[in-house]
Amino acid sequence: MEREHNLVPEDILWKRFLYRIIYRSDTKLGKLFDIILLALILTSTAIIMMESVPQLDKRFHYTFLILEWIISIFFTAEYWSRIAVLKNKKQYIFSFFGIIDFFALVPFYLSFFFPVTKYFLIFRMLRMLRIFRIFNLLDFMNDGYLIVKALKNSSRKIYIFLLFLVIFSVIVGSLMFMVEGGRPGFETIPQSIYWAVVTVTTVGYGDVSPITPLGKFFAVILMLAGYSIIAVPTGIVTAEMRNKRQNLEKICDRCGNDDIDDDARYCKQCGKKLA
Amino acid sequence: MEREHNLVPEDILWKRFLYRIIYRSDTKLGKLFDIILLALILTSTAIIMMESVPQLDKRFHYTFLILEWIISIFFTAEYWSRIAVLKNKKQYIFSFFGIIDFFALVPFYLSFFFPVTKYFLIFRMLRMLRIFRIFNLLDFMNDGYLIVKALKNSSRKIYIFLLFLVIFSVIVGSLMFMVEGGRPGFETIPQSIYWAVVTVTTVGYGDVSPITPLGKFFAVILMLAGYSIIAVPTGIVTAEMRNKRQNLEKICDRCGNDDIDDDARYCKQCGKKLA
Amino acid sequence: MEREHNLVPEDILWKRFLYRIIYRSDTKLGKLFDIILLALILTSTAIIMMESVPQLDKRFHYTFLILEWIISIFFTAEYWSRIAVLKNKKQYIFSFFGIIDFFALVPFYLSFFFPVTKYFLIFRMLRMLRIFRIFNLLDFMNDGYLIVKALKNSSRKIYIFLLFLVIFSVIVGSLMFMVEGGRPGFETIPQSIYWAVVTVTTVGYGDVSPITPLGKFFAVILMLAGYSIIAVPTGIVTAEMRNKRQNLEKICDRCGNDDIDDDARYCKQCGKKLA
Amino acid sequence: MEREHNLVPEDILWKRFLYRIIYRSDTKLGKLFDIILLALILTSTAIIMMESVPQLDKRFHYTFLILEWIISIFFTAEYWSRIAVLKNKKQYIFSFFGIIDFFALVPFYLSFFFPVTKYFLIFRMLRMLRIFRIFNLLDFMNDGYLIVKALKNSSRKIYIFLLFLVIFSVIVGSLMFMVEGGRPGFETIPQSIYWAVVTVTTVGYGDVSPITPLGKFFAVILMLAGYSIIAVPTGIVTAEMRNKRQNLEKICDRCGNDDIDDDARYCKQCGKKLA
């Protein structure tokens, strides 16, 4: 929406045309473009995954290479188009997805000059995040926003909870370092903290587990704690979600208040009867 | 209910009689039929399980075979009866349970022509789903519908959450593939993603676990994330269930109170007699 | 309360006295009795635990034996007293705690005639359940009832959920039996079901874990399912608890309705203004 | 706040000045002091962790030693200052954080007389708890109080739940001791209880797992129980948090609506202007 006026003013028709296809999905072509984009992102991700499997890479090495070339060229073209059709180019380039798009392309072009190591693939993987934008354009994400909003509103409480959890794990980890001495998995404090987090989050790999009776006793307490305090983030988010069940479409037409609960019959700001 | 008018119009009495027994449970015979069906489904499932245990199969092979014959003949008769008593036969044949009933019988009849492999048993296992229909007929499922309804209403949010979780796991898995190199369990990206899902869902088999300090550090972050975001599906479903509890239609027309219990005769806020 | 009139009518004073001590805790002696009982139950449990540890049993065998004698004699005396002070003796003997008290004593007396095996100790362990009754008498359990009530009210939904979970696990287990063939941990269907439950409940021992890529793929889906559907029991119980936040003390003095919400100002049954 | 009047009455200016810096954070210097404190606590914790890693300790032993000296001197100075600026010195010395501050310093001064063993490090780790006080001063903790309040209000219910969980685990553990005999991990009752807690809390290390079919069957039941009853603490805390959100004192005196947001000026149910 806010990008409409961002078009080049003397925009020749094809720019307006392209803008509509790329940034919108209210036309058939725009929808098609989004679906092609989605398909290519998934293909690209699948190729990266399969390349990492030696057996597959050996057999299909050249197929993967050619597909990567095609996809990379498409994404490069897309990247330039996205910039070209905008007047305020910085708005896209330095946006979240603009940066992701850029870094996802970098490894491909670097590979002409350097041998690309696996350390670059994470950039290409980040491209998956664009799926959310496409789904957003295709209108699948209305409900998603409610989740994100509830998480954002409760993020501060969750951070405090995580801070508490980390400090708790550090102290318990140190305690276990004292208790379990230098037994395997408890050789250092950081390792003991790793064990504490594995335990309190109820993951429980079992690569490290207490050996002495006292260690097992503390472990039992830690597990019971972890099992109980999982209620805290859940309670936070649930209370927030419950709270957010407000009617997003209703607006008071006298005072403009848009924070209107589903069950409200009068505006809580100006007292007007709602339609 | 919608099947009543589905009977053959010139229906001879026994068809109407059979229909009532098979599709309903408001008669004693109908209830008995359901209970026999339930017993046979459980027996059939138990036999399939026991057949897979070599010691048991060796000892009771022929008992199992005979029981399977009996049960299969019963289910075949039941399948044909279900079709016979209906006018619009397609309605059952292509219904969810009609398809399940059909495929659950196929392996038995195929075994006359081919050696039946274990790959067929899953079809016979699907028969267990019919337990839900029987319980439904026997009226045990009123509350079950509330669960299903809450899940259905929140399914879209849960899909978005799962999509997020999958993308998150893929990215974290790729990151760990970079960090843990080719260490056991992190040889390929798909394997690393498998580890990421095992960790973020707090399952934590321990068949794969991080080895390097950096890997453990990322694992700790992933665990804390998994421990916190479990709040999201919980919050979604809880908010939905809460919502489904109130009588959403009743409202006090004097004070506008809409928190009205099913059994209320007066408004608890202003004391007005409710219509 | 309902036991008061259960006293022997011609009850000599000591019976009334003893009754008050044993079944009530509104006197100092009654409270003392409860605390002694609590201490003995905990001691008894501790002894049973320690007896199972060979090192401790070797060293303190006779101490344990003597303590057991003393405790058993006390509990026997208590058992007879409980019966003696009541008129309607069956009410206690066949009550939940009466049966537990009886079976907790049986192993001790059997040991005079037979060598007692460890298979009896579970009866003695059940004695721990009496802690709840003592806590109840000592008035620590008001909040506990709210939990139990919420669980009871939602039990039917939880049973349906568990039924679904079991059927789901059986089907997934069978599927994995097909996929993972006879690989370790997936040799039989029951074993595969065991793995499915371990996975879907996010316990994840890791004693059994999928080996083939397809198996890992199904495992990932199962884990994501388990991670999401944990929301269901949580949602059920939360919705129920939220609902039960009613004022347990308020009663409408016109119609006797005691189902009064905290925020009610009028009785919802008769419309009377509440004090 | 309650400490303002706690200043030495004839307080020379620097005491008032120091008090403001140390105990408050409403001045720039006070904020700086808090941030330095935070940095030193984190550094101190990091050093203790790194000292426990042999490779790091070997290389940086003297760096760590010098840093510890500096930090310990700073904390000693801080400890004395905190006491010095107060009139009622006991208020700080015997406060929760006063005790922590004291014990965190003890190991350093003991090390002059005795060889300090690792058993002291837990005291120094407790210093991390002070992070909460600093965050509180810096006003990051408003939301944290809501969490703590909700936990406090529901603590009694959670204790009862934990009591139930412990008794349940003890009984199930004893049962498994009987079932799994002396198999590895089930040699004694305490060990079997350890397994039961590991299972019911869905941690599932896998260091102990059932071997016999009957043991696996009981384990499956225990897992399903653990998976379901996690709903209880969650429900308790969620119900409590939900409750804490509303403005419990405001009520509309025309219609009795008590679901009134903090920012409401008119009743959303009847439109009355709120006082």
Side-chain angles (χ1 to χ4, degrees):
Chain A
M1 220 182 297
E2 80 278 27
R3 281 187 188 111
E4 189 70 86
H5 59 272
N6 195 358
L7 278 170
V8 188
E10 69 279 23
D11 50 83
I12 18 183
L13 263 174
W14 68 263
K15 270 196 182 175
R16 197 181 270 281
F17 180 68
L18 220 61
Y19 174 85
R20 202 123 195 230
I21 291 171
I22 295 176
Y23 283 103
R24 298 288 185 84
S25 66
D26 53 359
T27 58
K28 280 207 168 167
L29 268 171
K31 260 183 194 133
L32 187 70
F33 177 80
D34 286 337
I35 288 160
I36 291 172
L37 214 59
L38 189 62
L40 284 176
I41 289 168
L42 292 178
T43 314
S44 154
T45 311
I47 289 171
I48 300 171
M49 281 190 200
M50 288 188 289
E51 276 182 331
S52 78
V53 183
Q55 301 94 299
L56 290 173
D57 191 42
K58 212 178 281 175
R59 266 185 73 181
F60 301 108
H61 190 70
Y62 288 101
T63 321
F64 291 158
L65 222 70
I66 291 161
L67 276 170
E68 259 190 75
W69 264 82
I70 295 169
I71 291 171
S72 293
I73 287 166
F74 179 91
F75 280 136
T76 309
E78 188 229 342
Y79 185 67
W80 288 122
S81 311
R82 277 190 188 275
I83 295 173
V85 298
L86 291 182
K87 197 174 83 180
N88 182 356
K89 285 154 203 327
K90 281 182 189 170
Q91 191 175 329
Y92 166 69
I93 295 174
F94 297 107
S95 71
F96 178 68
F97 285 113
I99 290 166
I100 282 179
D101 288 355
F102 178 74
F103 277 104
L105 283 171
V106 161
F108 176 71
Y109 289 101
L110 277 184
S111 70
F112 293 116
F113 309 105
F114 310 97
V116 220
T117 67
K118 66 178 175 180
Y119 296 103
F120 282 113
L121 67 84
I122 194 70
F123 292 119
R124 284 155 71 196
M125 276 302 190
L126 286 176
R127 194 179 274 153
M128 283 195 85
L129 292 174
R130 293 180 61 189
I131 292 174
F132 287 117
R133 187 167 64 178
I134 298 172
F135 270 41
N136 185 12
L137 280 173
L138 296 177
D139 237 9
F140 284 132
M141 294 290 284
N142 297 338
D143 293 318
Y145 276 126
L146 280 175
I147 300 176
V148 172
K149 212 176 163 190
L151 278 179
K152 248 189 202 157
N153 283 334
S154 50
S155 63
R156 205 161 159 167
K157 279 186 207 130
I158 289 177
Y159 287 144
I160 291 169
F161 171 72
L162 284 177
L163 177 71
F164 164 76
L165 207 62
V166 166
I167 290 180
F168 181 64
S169 301
V170 167
I171 290 173
V172 170
S174 308
L175 197 73
M176 281 302 275
F177 173 69
M178 279 165 46
V179 169
E180 288 284 339
R183 284 192 185 70
F186 297 98
E187 286 100 349
T188 66
I189 294 183
Q191 283 199 54
S192 304
I193 293 169
Y194 165 75
W195 167 85
V197 173
V198 168
T199 301
V200 85
T201 57
T202 77
V203 170
Y205 285 134
D207 54 346
V208 186
S209 57
I211 297 143
T212 59
L214 190 62
K216 285 186 180 182
F217 179 73
F218 282 128
V220 160
I221 290 171
L222 186 57
M223 282 174 230
L224 291 174
Y227 189 68
S228 300
I229 60 177
I230 201 170
V232 173
T234 306
I236 293 168
V237 174
T238 305
E240 198 57 53
M241 282 202 177
R242 176 82 194 86
N243 225 45
K244 286 296 120 193
R245 298 200 68 81
Q246 57 202 33
N247 201 321
L248 292 171
E249 278 151 37
K250 271 195 213 159
I251 267 194
C252 172
D253 48 13
R254 192 204 287 167
C255 74
N257 169 30
D258 63 348
D259 178 21
I260 291 176
D261 293 343
D262 263 353
D263 64 343
R265 298 196 308 152
Y266 292 86
C267 172
K268 70 177 178 181
Q269 293 301 357
C270 70
K272 195 180 178 301
K273 198 170 186 355
L274 298 168
Chain B
M1 220 180 298
E2 81 278 26
R3 281 189 190 110
E4 188 72 85
H5 60 273
N6 196 358
L7 279 171
V8 188
E10 70 278 24
D11 49 80
I12 18 184
L13 263 174
W14 69 263
K15 271 197 180 173
R16 195 183 270 282
F17 180 68
L18 222 60
Y19 175 86
R20 200 119 195 234
I21 291 171
I22 296 177
Y23 284 104
R24 298 288 184 84
S25 66
D26 52 0
T27 56
K28 279 207 169 167
L29 268 171
K31 260 185 194 131
L32 187 71
F33 176 80
D34 286 336
I35 287 159
I36 291 172
L37 213 57
L38 190 61
L40 284 177
I41 290 169
L42 292 178
T43 314
S44 153
T45 312
I47 290 172
I48 300 171
M49 282 190 199
M50 288 188 290
E51 275 181 332
S52 78
V53 184
Q55 301 95 299
L56 292 173
D57 191 41
K58 212 177 283 175
R59 267 185 73 182
F60 301 108
H61 189 72
Y62 288 100
T63 320
F64 292 156
L65 221 70
I66 291 160
L67 276 169
E68 258 190 75
W69 264 82
I70 296 168
I71 291 171
S72 293
I73 287 166
F74 178 91
F75 281 135
T76 308
E78 187 228 344
Y79 184 67
W80 288 120
S81 310
R82 276 188 190 276
I83 294 173
V85 298
L86 291 182
K87 196 174 84 180
N88 182 356
K89 287 156 200 328
K90 281 181 188 170
Q91 192 176 325
Y92 166 69
I93 296 175
F94 297 107
S95 71
F96 178 69
F97 285 113
I99 291 166
I100 282 179
D101 288 356
F102 177 75
F103 278 105
L105 283 172
V106 161
F108 176 71
Y109 289 100
L110 277 184
S111 70
F112 294 115
F113 310 105
F114 311 98
V116 222
T117 67
K118 66 178 177 183
Y119 295 103
F120 282 112
L121 67 85
I122 193 70
F123 292 119
R124 283 155 71 195
M125 276 303 191
L126 286 176
R127 194 178 275 153
M128 283 195 83
L129 293 174
R130 293 181 62 188
I131 292 174
F132 288 115
R133 187 167 63 180
I134 299 172
F135 270 41
N136 186 12
L137 281 173
L138 295 177
D139 237 9
F140 285 131
M141 294 290 284
N142 297 339
D143 293 317
Y145 276 125
L146 279 175
I147 300 176
V148 172
K149 213 175 162 189
L151 278 179
K152 249 188 202 158
N153 284 335
S154 49
S155 63
R156 205 162 158 167
K157 279 186 207 129
I158 288 177
Y159 287 144
I160 292 170
F161 171 72
L162 284 176
L163 177 72
F164 164 77
L165 207 62
V166 166
I167 290 180
F168 182 64
S169 301
V170 168
I171 290 174
V172 170
S174 308
L175 197 73
M176 281 302 275
F177 172 68
M178 279 166 46
V179 168
E180 289 284 338
R183 284 190 183 72
F186 298 97
E187 286 100 349
T188 66
I189 294 182
Q191 283 198 53
S192 304
I193 293 169
Y194 165 75
W195 168 84
V197 174
V198 169
T199 301
V200 85
T201 56
T202 77
V203 170
Y205 286 133
D207 55 345
V208 185
S209 57
I211 298 143
T212 59
L214 190 61
K216 286 186 178 180
F217 179 73
F218 282 129
V220 160
I221 290 171
L222 185 58
M223 283 175 229
L224 291 173
Y227 189 68
S228 301
I229 59 177
I230 202 170
V232 173
T234 306
I236 293 168
V237 175
T238 304
E240 198 58 53
M241 283 201 177
R242 177 82 192 86
N243 225 44
K244 290 292 124 202
R245 291 201 68 86
Q246 295 170 278
N247 196 326
L248 289 172
E249 278 148 40
K250 272 194 212 161
I251 210 173
C252 172
D253 48 13
R254 192 204 287 167
C255 74
N257 170 29
D258 64 347
D259 179 19
I260 292 176
D261 293 342
D262 272 349
D263 64 343
R265 296 192 304 148
Y266 291 86
C267 172
K268 70 176 178 180
Q269 293 301 359
C270 71
K272 194 178 179 301
K273 198 169 183 1
L274 298 169
Chain C
M1 219 182 298
E2 81 278 28
R3 283 190 189 106
E4 189 71 85
H5 59 272
N6 195 358
L7 278 170
V8 188
E10 70 279 22
D11 49 83
I12 18 185
L13 263 175
W14 68 263
K15 269 198 183 174
R16 195 181 271 282
F17 180 67
L18 220 60
Y19 175 84
R20 198 114 196 238
I21 291 172
I22 295 176
Y23 283 104
R24 297 288 184 84
S25 66
D26 51 0
T27 57
K28 278 208 171 168
L29 268 172
K31 263 190 193 125
L32 186 70
F33 176 79
D34 285 336
I35 287 160
I36 290 172
L37 212 57
L38 190 61
L40 284 177
I41 289 169
L42 292 178
T43 313
S44 154
T45 312
I47 288 172
I48 299 170
M49 281 191 202
M50 287 189 289
E51 275 181 331
S52 78
V53 184
Q55 301 95 300
L56 290 174
D57 191 42
K58 212 177 282 175
R59 266 186 72 181
F60 301 109
H61 190 72
Y62 288 99
T63 321
F64 292 157
L65 221 70
I66 291 160
L67 276 171
E68 259 189 76
W69 265 82
I70 295 168
I71 291 172
S72 293
I73 288 166
F74 178 92
F75 280 136
T76 309
E78 187 228 342
Y79 185 68
W80 289 121
S81 311
R82 276 189 191 276
I83 294 173
V85 298
L86 291 182
K87 196 174 81 180
N88 182 357
K89 287 157 200 326
K90 279 181 190 172
Q91 191 175 329
Y92 166 70
I93 295 174
F94 297 107
S95 72
F96 178 69
F97 285 114
I99 291 165
I100 282 179
D101 288 354
F102 177 75
F103 278 104
L105 283 172
V106 160
F108 176 71
Y109 290 100
L110 277 184
S111 70
F112 294 115
F113 310 103
F114 310 98
V116 218
T117 67
K118 64 178 178 182
Y119 295 103
F120 282 112
L121 68 84
I122 194 69
F123 292 120
R124 283 156 70 196
M125 276 303 188
L126 286 175
R127 194 179 274 153
M128 283 195 84
L129 292 174
R130 293 180 62 188
I131 291 174
F132 288 116
R133 186 168 63 180
I134 298 171
F135 270 42
N136 186 12
L137 280 174
L138 296 177
D139 237 9
F140 285 131
M141 294 290 283
N142 297 339
D143 293 317
Y145 276 126
L146 279 175
I147 300 176
V148 172
K149 211 176 165 191
L151 278 178
K152 248 188 204 159
N153 283 335
S154 49
S155 64
R156 206 162 157 166
K157 281 189 205 126
I158 288 178
Y159 287 144
I160 291 170
F161 171 72
L162 285 176
L163 176 72
F164 164 77
L165 208 61
V166 167
I167 290 180
F168 182 64
S169 300
V170 168
I171 290 174
V172 171
S174 308
L175 197 72
M176 282 302 275
F177 172 68
M178 279 164 46
V179 169
E180 289 284 339
R183 286 193 181 71
F186 298 98
E187 285 99 348
T188 65
I189 294 182
Q191 284 199 51
S192 304
I193 293 169
Y194 165 73
W195 167 85
V197 174
V198 169
T199 301
V200 85
T201 56
T202 78
V203 170
Y205 286 134
D207 54 347
V208 185
S209 57
I211 297 143
T212 60
L214 190 62
K216 286 185 178 180
F217 179 73
F218 282 129
V220 160
I221 290 172
L222 185 58
M223 284 174 226
L224 290 174
Y227 188 68
S228 300
I229 59 177
I230 201 170
V232 173
T234 307
I236 293 167
V237 175
T238 305
E240 198 57 54
M241 283 203 175
R242 176 82 194 86
N243 225 44
K244 286 296 121 193
R245 297 201 69 83
Q246 56 202 35
N247 201 321
L248 290 172
E249 278 151 38
K250 271 194 213 160
I251 267 195
C252 171
D253 49 14
R254 192 203 289 166
C255 74
N257 169 30
D258 62 349
D259 178 20
I260 291 177
D261 294 342
D262 264 351
D263 64 343
R265 298 195 307 154
Y266 291 87
C267 171
K268 70 177 176 178
Q269 293 301 356
C270 70
K272 195 179 179 302
K273 199 170 181 1
L274 299 167
Chain D
M1 218 181 301
E2 81 279 29
R3 281 188 189 109
E4 189 72 86
H5 60 271
N6 195 359
L7 277 172
V8 188
E10 70 280 24
D11 49 82
I12 19 185
L13 261 176
W14 69 262
K15 269 198 183 175
R16 195 181 271 282
F17 180 68
L18 220 60
Y19 175 84
R20 199 118 196 237
I21 291 172
I22 294 176
Y23 282 103
R24 297 289 184 84
S25 66
D26 52 359
T27 58
K28 279 208 169 168
L29 269 171
K31 260 185 194 129
L32 187 70
F33 177 79
D34 286 338
I35 288 159
I36 290 171
L37 214 59
L38 189 62
L40 284 176
I41 290 168
L42 292 179
T43 314
S44 155
T45 311
I47 288 171
I48 300 171
M49 281 191 203
M50 287 188 289
E51 276 182 331
S52 78
V53 184
Q55 301 95 300
L56 290 174
D57 191 41
K58 212 177 282 175
R59 266 185 73 182
F60 301 110
H61 190 70
Y62 289 99
T63 320
F64 291 157
L65 222 70
I66 292 161
L67 276 171
E68 260 190 74
W69 264 82
I70 295 169
I71 291 172
S72 291
I73 287 166
F74 178 91
F75 281 135
T76 309
E78 188 229 341
Y79 185 67
W80 288 122
S81 312
R82 277 190 189 275
I83 295 173
V85 298
L86 290 182
K87 197 174 83 179
N88 182 356
K89 287 160 201 324
K90 280 181 191 171
Q91 190 174 330
Y92 166 69
I93 294 174
F94 296 107
S95 72
F96 178 69
F97 286 114
I99 291 166
I100 282 179
D101 288 355
F102 177 74
F103 277 104
L105 283 172
V106 160
F108 176 71
Y109 289 101
L110 278 184
S111 70
F112 293 115
F113 309 103
F114 310 98
V116 220
T117 67
K118 66 179 176 179
Y119 296 103
F120 282 113
L121 68 85
I122 194 69
F123 292 120
R124 283 155 71 196
M125 276 302 190
L126 286 176
R127 195 179 274 154
M128 283 195 83
L129 292 174
R130 294 180 61 189
I131 291 174
F132 287 117
R133 186 167 64 179
I134 299 172
F135 270 41
N136 186 13
L137 281 173
L138 295 177
D139 237 9
F140 284 131
M141 294 290 284
N142 297 339
D143 294 317
Y145 276 126
L146 279 175
I147 300 176
V148 172
K149 214 174 162 190
L151 278 179
K152 247 188 204 157
N153 283 335
S154 48
S155 62
R156 203 159 161 169
K157 280 186 207 130
I158 288 177
Y159 287 144
I160 292 170
F161 172 71
L162 284 177
L163 176 71
F164 164 77
L165 208 62
V166 166
I167 291 180
F168 182 63
S169 301
V170 168
I171 291 174
V172 170
S174 307
L175 197 72
M176 281 302 275
F177 172 68
M178 279 165 46
V179 169
E180 288 285 338
R183 286 193 182 71
F186 297 98
E187 286 101 348
T188 66
I189 293 183
Q191 283 199 53
S192 303
I193 293 169
Y194 165 74
W195 168 85
V197 173
V198 168
T199 301
V200 85
T201 57
T202 78
V203 170
Y205 285 134
D207 55 346
V208 185
S209 56
I211 297 143
T212 59
L214 190 62
K216 286 186 179 181
F217 179 73
F218 282 130
V220 159
I221 290 171
L222 185 58
M223 283 175 227
L224 291 174
Y227 188 68
S228 300
I229 60 177
I230 200 170
V232 173
T234 306
I236 293 167
V237 174
T238 305
E240 199 56 54
M241 283 201 176
R242 177 80 195 89
N243 226 43
K244 290 291 125 203
R245 292 201 67 85
Q246 293 169 276
N247 196 325
L248 289 173
E249 278 149 40
K250 270 194 213 161
I251 210 172
C252 170
D253 49 14
R254 192 204 288 169
C255 75
N257 169 29
D258 64 347
D259 179 19
I260 291 177
D261 293 342
D262 273 348
D263 64 343
R265 296 191 304 149
Y266 291 86
C267 171
K268 69 177 177 179
Q269 294 299 0
C270 70
K272 195 179 178 301
K273 200 170 179 7
L274 299 168

